[in-house]
Amino acid sequence: MTRYVQPVSAPDDPYAGDPLLRSWLERQLGPAGHAAAKDRLAALAAEVTGPLRAAHADAEAHPPTLVRYDPWGARVDRIDTAAGWRAQRAAAARHAVVALPYLASARGTWGAAARVVQHALLHLYAPESATFSCPVAMADGAAALLALPDVDAGVRDAWLPRLVATDPDEAAVSGQWMTESTGGSDLSRSGTVARPAADGSWRLTGEKWFCSAADAPVAVALARPEGAGRGSRVLAPFLVPRYAADSPLAGASLAADAPAPGVTVHRLKDKLGTRALPTAEIGLRDAYALPLGDPAVPGLVRAMTLVVVTRVHNASAAASGMRRGLAYARAYAQARLVAGGPLADNPLHRATLGTLAVDAAGAFVLAGHAFALLGRVEVGADPDAARELRIVAPLAKLATGRLAVASASEYVEAFGGAGYVEDTGVPRLLRDAQVLPIWEGTTNVLALDVLRAVAREDAGAPLLARLAAAAELARPLSPALADTLAAVTDELRATLAQVAADPQAVAVVAGARGLALRLAYALTAALLVEHAGWGDEQAEVAARLWARRWLRHEDIAADAHHHLDVLC
């Protein structure tokens, strides 16, 4: 008997084969703006389906290792990474995945919508980047922080050009050294102390427990300025060079790639997923650091500039991973024969894929809206966008993170036993997705942040206005959808009034997760309606099914089966 080998089809080109992405860009950028972005997006998509897919596989197969000592016993704390990881770093620079929204040429072409184009680049790049999308996110957040006017111009001029460089030989990414074992998300318990030095720099001493992109040449760290007192508000962000080449304390005796004095890598984390990404525990002992803003002024609000950027990147990573997983599952279903025909023709499997497509469409527009708001805040200083982004960033992050985990589990199952075998690459979808509801705040942490935004800044008001407008817009498309949105708007208006009246009430706090998810699902429905109103058939179908699935909790299997080809 001839041994059977299952053929596996490659998915479509991630740009040309994604109609929702292309129609979203057409609407957000206008025909001329989309035309100006097409060559850039097509070039990245071509590299993703070729050399970057191979680089991704290489980086995943050869995770980073920590070399603590050289052959003569000198402490080197060198993190060795795979050639594929380095290829991903170079590609991120070449394609301006970090740099684009900071480039004068991009802002001249697209204005605030340069962030929309960046979101499209991330949508193509991230799913098969071996999670190099994580240092990309942190570099973007660090660049946004350095761009603030109260950051010293000398510090900005030294590091911002490297973070937004498009030459791989010049470009740098950033790590993020925030959390400590004592506190985790409870930053008020952070123990890292910063002391001023005579030359205007500072010295940091403490232990950082979860440091992603530990091979990056610089990191943003939170520390408590000496004498600043307790709590989290007084914490300040600092820029910490990772290597001797960038530390004035190193002197001529240390090699440029040696660790900066006072920076010790204790160990690399053995994680569930994101295994190609070097994440470490790092000790600081009088490590050289540069303040990002005046440390005498409570600095947590400045650090939130970085956090907002990384949260919207997290949402993009979730949405792009869902879309790529769907593409792989559908390609496999078209090649796999079951009961005498392609699995893709089986009504039950089509219903499953259709439901996943609805979730992927919702996640995409929610992440895309967050990026559009971020661009309006940065370029136009739009106060309405800033107010809405205050609540959309945590909502987008928490909702898409949970959707990504659920979808990844379904994608693994869609491959049957092959989905459980490591060298197919499919299990990685689930392992990597699980970080998304955790990094930059768990669902509960973000839900409490949503309560603060509602109570302190009335950030729920722009969402309610958007929902009410979407209900009217939906009326000619689907009266049932319009009625659902109107009813949910009334429900949420009453609930948000209760939050504003007593945000510390036990019932309010205990219900924060449910409220945040309800807000996110309603907002997503409104965003799909807005895109459908522009004339997109896929968004119209997705809006109707999303509202039934997530707002009315109905089974959409039959319609998902029927509309699969439109939804994909």
Side-chain angles (χ1 to χ4, degrees), residues 454-483:
V454 170
R456 297 175 185 175
E457 301 165 54
D458 193 23
L463 261 64
L464 292 174
R466 187 175 293 277
L467 290 175
E472 292 303 312
L473 183 61
R475 185 75 49 193
L477 300 175
S478 166
L481 174 58
D483 290 344

Side-chain angles (χ1 to χ4, degrees), residues 184-275:
S185 61
D186 182 5
L187 295 176
S188 66
R189 300 181 65 193
S190 295
T192 299
V193 175
R195 295 191 300 275
D199 63 356
S201 65
W202 288 63
R203 303 292 179 266
L204 268 55
T205 298
E207 295 290 332
K208 295 299 184 180
W209 187 78
F210 212 91
C211 304
S212 289
D215 61 332
V218 71
V220 175
L222 278 180
R224 190 179 307 279
E226 196 171 45
R230 298 183 177 182
S232 61
R233 291 181 65 254
V234 300
L235 297 176
F238 292 84
L239 206 66
V240 184
R242 166 76 171 82
Y243 298 109
D246 297 307
S247 174
L249 304 183
S253 61
L254 291 179
D257 60 351
V263 178
T264 302
V265 181
H266 296 312
R267 63 170 178 163
L268 293 182
K269 297 286 194 181
D270 185 10
K271 297 166 293 179
L272 170 66
T274 65
R275 293 176 178 174

